[in-house]
Amino acid sequence: MAKTDIITRFLIWRLRHLSTKNFVLILSGLIGILAGLAAVILKTAVHAIQKFLTGDFNEAYANFFYIIYPLIGIILAFLIGTYILKDQGGHGIPDLLYNISKKSSLIAKVKMYSRVITSAITVGFGGSVGLEAPIVVTGSAIGSNFGSLMHLNAKKRTLLIGCGAAGAISAIFGAPIGAVIFAIEVILLEVSVGSFIPLLIASVTGSITSMILLGEDVMFTFNLSDSFLAAHMPYYFLLAIFTGIISLYFSRVVLKTESLLGMMEDPWMKVLYGGAFLGLIVFFFPPIYGEGYETLNALIDGDPQRLLANSPFFGEIDNPYFIILFLMLIIFIKPIASAITIGAGGSGGIFAPSLFVGGITGFVFAYTANIFGLPIALPIAHFTLVAMCGVMSGVQHAPLSAIFLIAEITGGYELFLPLMFVSAISFVTTTYFDKDSLYVKQLKDTGRYLTESKDEEVLDNINIRKVMEKDLLPIAPDAKLGDLCKLVQLSKRNIFPVVNDNGELAGIITLDDIRDIMFDEAKQQEMKIQQLMHSPPDVIYPEETMQKVMDKFEKSGAWNLPVVEDGVYLGFISKSRIFNAYRKRLIRQNLE
């Protein structure tokens, strides 16, 4: 029996015995398991590669291997992604958001496994990026393709994409609540109350899959021991401002670095120069190698000296002021290293780097304050964890995700108040200067527009060519008023486009323009159309977004505007026609 026949029979059985609502619940659990399995495979592969490459390091030569490993990883990821999988690396989440907004939540099948392979190689060989974005793309692709296979509509596919993302994040971090909120806050444009249940199921099944296969292998091995003190709140306020500023720096440096790499037209130049430069960075600053979670664990444990142990230059230095300087340099260099890894051809995301930079920021803040002898000693572990939340909130514009993710990672809600406080202020500080998150800015920098609301999404899905009206009767510029009067008798419209022999729009004439003279026989014979025509208030181009079209209607005050392409007249668009199309699309979406 053919595969299509099996699927068809199953779908017929499903329609008879299962409602769409219950079917989506079952699919969400299955997608959560598969996303969790993909996360386990990715984590295991990265650890295996890193152990193979660094397990038997000769300390005398270790850092020299750090120079070449990232370059080899980027070359391999680029070769495999470009020539075998046909899916190049990159951030992943911006493309995911674009697919949801502009491509009816359809994601290529290859993304169900391609990012697992390329990101495992990139990070395993020391690429300075995280695994979270690739696994979110993988889980989301699984959700999208299951939705397509089961012939679900775009709205349900979008929900299953969120389920895949929630299952993946939950499996990576062991944070099911944070994963659900991340899916809602970052991936999905809007969520109804009924959508929470599939997201919860996917998140739980993803987390359980990871727990069964990996046990208690979590990112951070820290349990809170010190209690939260309200007296620390003024310092948390300063930390929040600090993390907001660092978030701005992080986002802008990532974009600028990728922009500079993008100026190289030859992809192999990017790979070789980027990989070589990344190797040099890691050579001088070994903590930048890979994801960096071991570095964060060392800081949470209050042992920064561990970070200098692998350095060929600074390993013997035991000076608190030098440690502060060393960590400050890492804060400034890590975004560059992450952007180089991705821009040069590697695969990964900035999720982990933002946590990494945030953790070091919090440690430096508290460590420096304690060295200079503040009246109250600041708990370094608390400030390290809370700053991770602050920078993640600022970079990704996901304050709730950051709060719950760090709260769950720490194994309790002892730090819930400072997490909420720092996340909110860091977010406000960042959005004061940058309205868009790093993901949205990356889309806009590549010329891809992303809708900001459901109304805009509905509007933007209206095709200009489909709502364009072509029943308006054109007239030539050298025609007489009498010729126009004959058209008035034939036309049901009160606007007439003036079009030359080349089909170009020369102007427009309305019935109001000729009402006072149209019955004057002398003028009918004497006056030419070019004497009466005038320019339209504005023109519309077929490639424009519908949001931009509505802005033109708003600014011009017009109800009808011509559509032109390379100067050639195509038709007219009326505001009422757009409203009609909008209303029909909205009704159809609500019925779905």
Side-chain angles (χ1 to χ4, degrees), residues 464-475 484 486-499 509 559-563 569-574 576-577:
I464 287 178
R465 293 182 187 271
K466 288 185 178 179
V467 295
M468 185 170 63
E469 300 168 86
K470 298 181 180 179
D471 60 339
L472 287 86
L473 301 180
I475 191 165
L484 180 60
K486 293 176 183 177
L487 288 182
V488 171
Q489 296 176 28
L490 299 173
S491 177
K492 297 178 181 179
R493 310 299 296 273
N494 63 351
I495 300 178
F496 300 89
V498 182
V499 181
I509 288 184
W559 275 89
N560 298 275
L561 289 174
V563 182
Y569 167 76
L570 299 180
F572 261 78
I573 283 187
S574 68
S576 58
R577 187 77 175 262

Side-chain angles (χ1 to χ4, degrees), residues 521-578:
E521 293 186 6
K523 289 185 177 180
Q524 285 182 7
Q525 300 300 320
E526 296 172 1
M527 296 195 73
K528 290 188 175 182
I529 296 301
Q530 58 191 4
Q531 297 174 264
L532 299 168
M533 70 181 187
H534 57 85
S535 298
D538 211 330
V539 294
I540 293 168
Y541 304 100
E543 68 276 6
E544 288 182 316
T545 64
M546 194 55 70
Q547 186 62 40
K548 193 169 183 180
V549 170
M550 293 306 295
D551 288 341
K552 287 186 175 183
F553 275 114
E554 188 69 26
K555 290 176 182 177
S556 66
W559 275 89
N560 298 275
L561 289 174
V563 182
V564 298
E565 186 172 32
D566 297 325
V568 176
Y569 167 76
L570 299 180
F572 261 78
I573 283 187
S574 68
K575 193 187 288 188
S576 58
R577 187 77 175 262
I578 295 174

